[in-house]
Amino acid sequence: MINELTADDLRSRYVKYFQERGHAIVPSASLIPENDPSVLFTTAGMHPLIPYLLGRPHPAGKRLVDYQKCVRTGDIEEVGDLTHLTFFEMLGNWSLGDYFKQESISWSHGFLTRPDCLAIPAERIYVSVFAGNEIAPRDNEASDIWQSLGIPLSRINFLSAEHNWWAVGPEGPCGPDTEIFIDTSRKPCSRGNECLAGLCRCGRWFEIWNNVFMSYNRKGNDITRLKVNNVDTGMGMERTLAVLNSVESVYETSTFRGTVDRLLRDSGRSREEVYAKPGLNRALRVLTDHLRAAVFILGDERSVTPSNHGQGYVLRRLIRRAIRFCEQFGLSAERWVEASDTVLAAYGEAYPELLTNTERIHEELRLEFQRFQKTLSRGTALLEEQFASLRAAGCNILPGDVAFRLFDTYGFPIEFTQELAQEGGVSVDLDGYRARFENHREKSRSAAAKSGLADESQESIRYHTATHLLHAGLRKVLGEHVQQKGSNITRDRLRFDFNHPRPMTRDEIAEVEAFVQAAIDRALPVTHEMLPCEKAKMSGAIGLFEDRYGNDVTVYTIGDVSKEVCAGPHVSNTREIGKFEIEKEQSSSSGVRRIRAIIR
């Protein structure tokens, strides 16, 4: 097995392997989903491809390969163990109605075991396959293919839908999968014969790849067959590197080395001292993970900034949580901010948008650190007042709503509040806090998602076309510096975020509204064509995200008013839209304005 394989090496080998098998290379999509308001961040490589898994032709063809940046925030509290991360990379290859199980499994096995690829000994590979249920039968086909490749039945586990059925979410493409594991120790744990890949969590098994056979679509409680069979695969970059390099933790791989070394040096701590103390080791991992995640979110082409809602809310939590761990680790927060350069150095070649946005990354990290400094004293003062009131009442439990207020208003991570409470001889009502936090998170998820259509109803499609006219109107009235920073469209209204340094005046709002309505009243045709990316740019089409589609892009043109790169859908003529009204113009985040509009 190959040792000391770097992230750059693994990316290039993976992409080359599948490119040689007819796959077109598609660049990583934005971390901020454009057409999926159900999630705040891109959480898997397949998210940007949902329309194509449902049948829309992809400009690059039916076979695709990529490496995708992802963020998952459901396990923030787990960050600091061996494997949990907020930001991570997924390597993926896709079949959109082309090949299916035979090629997918055979190619995965080949990439893992071939001497010129990863050279993992075949005897260390175990797999799980779908055991079957009322929706789909037991996947004997996948099992037979694995056996034909030399994986004996004794290393194949048939598991339920809980383990071997993958879906993007409550609704959307889904199907049975086969998961690939590496036996890291080759020794069963205390469970003996029940130490099985895909079931036992003893640490022996390292899941390295997941091949999903997407043949179904879920809408509500109904699951129906898709018109074609698709394949969606995902290999976790960091976990794969940990296995290949025989290290215990993902934080010991090359992807983190530069940041870890910098934080150790700036703190004056030795590696031996930190690794010997679980508390310090966890703090170092949190600082490393949160810095990388913050850099990628800030450096994204659809960058958000720290705020109290949506993606900005998560970003603020990551930065302020890290600042709290700086104190625990004995590192100044300024040094932590400066260490962002190590992330840029490690990832700038693979993700050039980070280098393009270096100044913004540095500035926003610095500003958020300064904001937290200002609120820290006010939040601490509030906490001291609460402690005094509790002592006077003979109580030693801080109410959950107070803990949440400290988090929501003053940016106090709950762990920070708990530590201060413990020093004051007080405990925290965590159940009350979590109830308030979960309620806020659900509201934030639905209310602040900045990304596309909630559905493809005719009402939402009308609003989608209206956003293109609005974008054109803003650029005409305010200037060509205006660029879309996000949108959220439902059947009832549109929200459109754009960069602009100040609030719009009443006259500017009225002028933009009149521009959009004039375009609607002119009954302009809405047409689209597929063009090579460079030709689309030369034609005057605008769009921040062209490269993510590969060599060809779809350009939607609305008369002589608008020309944008977009995946659709749209009305065929602007007369279908109706009467356009801007209801509100307000701040969304630093340097970003938000318009809410309706159609009557």
Side-chain angles (χ1 to χ4, degrees):
M1 186 167 59
I2 298 172
N3 290 316
E4 297 301 319
L5 195 71
T6 67
D8 289 338
D9 290 335
L10 182 53
R11 287 190 207 99
S12 62
R13 290 184 188 213
Y14 187 91
V15 168
K16 179 182 178 183
Y17 179 84
F18 284 99
Q19 186 180 29
E20 290 172 347
R21 286 152 183 79
H23 292 66
I25 303 172
V26 291
S28 173
S30 169
L31 277 174
I32 314 301
E34 183 182 6
N35 290 310
D36 186 359
S38 65
V39 292
L40 293 177
F41 294 100
T42 297
T43 61
M46 61 83 63
H47 261 136
L49 296 175
I50 290 176
Y52 309 106
L53 291 166
L54 290 173
R56 185 178 299 169
H58 193 284
K62 294 185 176 182
R63 297 185 180 187
L64 310 175
V65 62
D66 70 356
Y67 53 88
Q68 172 67 45
K69 50 186 178 180
C70 304
V71 166
R72 292 181 186 173
T73 57
D75 295 326
I76 287 181
E77 303 298 335
E78 302 298 321
V79 170
D81 63 7
L82 297 179
T83 61
H84 278 91
L85 300 166
T86 49
F87 172 87
F88 60 96
E89 293 181 82
M90 291 295 289
L91 302 166
N93 61 283
W94 323 86
S95 169
L96 305 176
D98 189 13
Y99 62 83
F100 203 44
K101 295 180 183 180
Q102 178 67 52
E103 294 87 346
S104 176
I105 293 173
S106 298
W107 289 339
S108 296
H109 181 268
F111 183 71
L112 292 173
T113 60
R114 282 176 44 156
D116 60 332
C117 294
L118 300 190
I120 295 175
E123 63 271 16
R124 296 184 61 185
I125 295 176
Y126 287 67
V127 301
S128 63
V129 297
F130 184 53
N133 60 12
E134 68 280 1
I135 300 170
R138 175 183 169 102
D139 200 349
N140 291 317
E141 181 183 0
S143 175
D144 290 343
I145 295 169
W146 281 116
Q147 291 180 69
S148 73
L149 296 170
I151 305 298
L153 193 58
S154 60
R155 301 214 304 267
I156 300 173
N157 298 321
F158 287 87
L159 303 181
S160 67
E162 177 186 356
H163 303 281
N164 278 87
W165 183 277
W166 204 92
V168 64
E171 293 194 348
C174 55
D177 66 7
T178 181
E179 299 182 358
I180 308 171
F181 301 85
I182 304 300
D183 185 353
T184 60
S185 69
R186 310 189 199 187
K187 295 179 181 179
C189 68
S190 59
R191 297 183 65 188
N193 292 335
E194 294 183 359
C195 182
L196 300 175
L199 287 180
C200 190
R201 305 302 180 189
C202 67
R204 174 186 176 190
W205 309 105
F206 225 99
E207 182 185 344
I208 201 170
W209 210 334
N210 185 9
N211 296 34
V212 185
F213 307 120
M214 285 193 166
S215 303
Y216 300 86
N217 185 38
R218 183 193 300 273
K219 286 189 175 181
N221 294 323
D222 296 326
I223 296 182
T224 58
R225 288 294 298 255
L226 292 170
K227 293 181 180 179
V228 297
N229 292 321
N230 304 304
V231 175
D232 154 32
T233 82
M235 171 186 277
M237 166 73 78
E238 292 83 0
R239 292 190 174 201
T240 301
L241 287 175
V243 170
L244 294 174
N245 293 308
S246 301
V247 295
E248 183 182 38
S249 161
V250 294
Y251 295 96
E252 297 173 58
T253 63
S254 60
T255 56
F256 291 104
R257 190 169 298 139
T259 305
V260 167
D261 289 348
R262 175 73 169 269
L263 296 177
L264 286 171
R265 187 189 72 203
D266 288 349
S267 67
R269 297 186 182 277
S270 69
R271 192 179 303 270
E272 293 73 21
E273 175 196 7
V274 171
Y275 285 6
K277 298 178 180 179
L280 288 179
N281 200 7
R282 178 171 181 263
L284 176 61
R285 291 171 177 174
V286 170
L287 291 171
T288 304
D289 168 87
H290 288 12
L291 182 61
R292 186 174 71 155
V295 166
F296 267 90
I297 295 171
L298 287 168
D300 192 84
E301 56 266 39
R302 301 186 72 194
S303 172
V304 296
T305 52
S307 68
N308 283 332
H309 59 267
Q311 294 99 341
Y313 183 80
V314 174
L315 176 60
R316 171 161 286 171
R317 182 185 180 195
L318 287 170
I319 295 173
R320 295 190 175 189
R321 187 168 188 260
I323 291 171
R324 200 273 299 182
F325 275 93
C326 282
E327 181 178 347
Q328 180 178 331
F329 195 68
L331 176 74
S332 72
E334 294 96 331
R335 292 289 191 182
W336 179 78
V337 170
E338 292 169 2
S340 59
D341 286 339
T342 63
V343 180
L344 299 173
Y347 289 96
E349 183 176 348
Y351 298 97
E353 65 270 19
L354 297 181
L355 300 182
T356 302
N357 297 315
T358 294
E359 184 176 348
R360 181 173 70 199
I361 293 167
H362 287 157
E363 180 68 6
E364 289 297 337
L365 284 172
R366 183 183 61 80
L367 287 174
E368 185 59 18
F369 161 61
Q370 292 174 348
R371 293 187 196 105
F372 192 34
Q373 277 189 316
K374 292 178 181 179
T375 60
L376 189 60
S377 59
R378 296 201 297 270
T380 303
L382 171 65
L383 199 53
E384 291 296 338
E385 291 176 6
Q386 291 292 322
F387 290 164
S389 298
L390 290 173
R391 284 191 289 268
C395 180
N396 63 352
I397 300 177
L398 185 73
D401 60 343
V402 175
F404 178 77
R405 182 183 172 193
L406 285 164
F407 178 64
D408 187 42
T409 304
Y410 299 104
F412 278 32
I414 185 61
E415 303 96 334
F416 187 41
T417 299
Q418 284 181 281
E419 287 180 3
L420 294 176
Q422 185 177 15
E423 292 171 4
V426 173
S427 61
V428 179
D429 174 16
L430 290 178
D431 289 339
Y433 166 82
R434 288 169 182 150
R436 288 290 309 274
F437 179 79
E438 286 301 320
N439 181 55
H440 175 88
R441 185 165 65 173
E442 288 306 311
K443 288 181 179 178
S444 175
R445 185 186 303 277
S446 60
K450 301 177 180 180
S451 47
L453 283 70
D455 55 56
E456 291 196 4
S457 65
Q458 190 58 34
E459 294 90 344
S460 294
I461 291 172
R462 289 164 62 211
Y463 275 112
H464 189 196
T465 305
T467 63
H468 282 227
L469 298 177
L470 175 60
H471 194 185
L474 289 167
R475 288 170 64 86
K476 180 175 178 59
V477 174
L478 301 180
E480 293 189 358
H481 67 279
V482 169
Q483 294 178 337
Q484 178 180 344
K485 289 298 182 182
S487 65
N488 178 249
I489 298 167
T490 71
R491 297 171 184 236
D492 304 311
R493 56 96 181 113
L494 70 81
R495 279 210 320 264
F496 187 85
D497 291 356
F498 61 98
N499 61 300
H500 193 55
R502 58 170 176 79
M504 294 174 64
T505 66
R506 290 184 179 181
D507 288 345
E508 288 171 338
I509 294 172
E511 189 176 351
V512 171
E513 187 177 76
F515 176 94
V516 174
Q517 191 61 52
I520 294 171
D521 294 342
R522 288 172 61 196
L524 299 173
V526 182
T527 60
H528 68 278
E529 60 182 330
M530 193 172 294
L531 296 172
C533 187
E534 287 303 316
K535 188 173 181 181
K537 292 178 182 177
M538 292 175 62
S539 75
I542 63 173
L544 296 177
F545 326 121
E546 303 99 325
D547 291 344
R548 126 200 102 158
Y549 296 105
N551 294 325
D552 295 325
V553 297
T554 302
V555 176
Y556 275 84
T557 301
I558 306 177
D560 57 357
V561 171
S562 169
K563 179 178 284 190
E564 288 196 49
V565 173
C566 183
H570 290 280
V571 300
S572 59
N573 190 289
T574 58
R575 66 170 174 264
E576 301 174 40
I577 297 176
K579 182 172 176 54
F580 177 84
E581 295 181 10
I582 294 177
E583 287 193 325
K584 183 183 295 184
E585 190 273 349
Q586 64 188 92
S587 173
S588 172
S589 59
S590 178
V592 178
R593 307 299 299 174
R594 169 173 292 172
I595 281 179
R596 177 187 170 103
I598 60 171
I599 295 171
R600 298 189 186 277

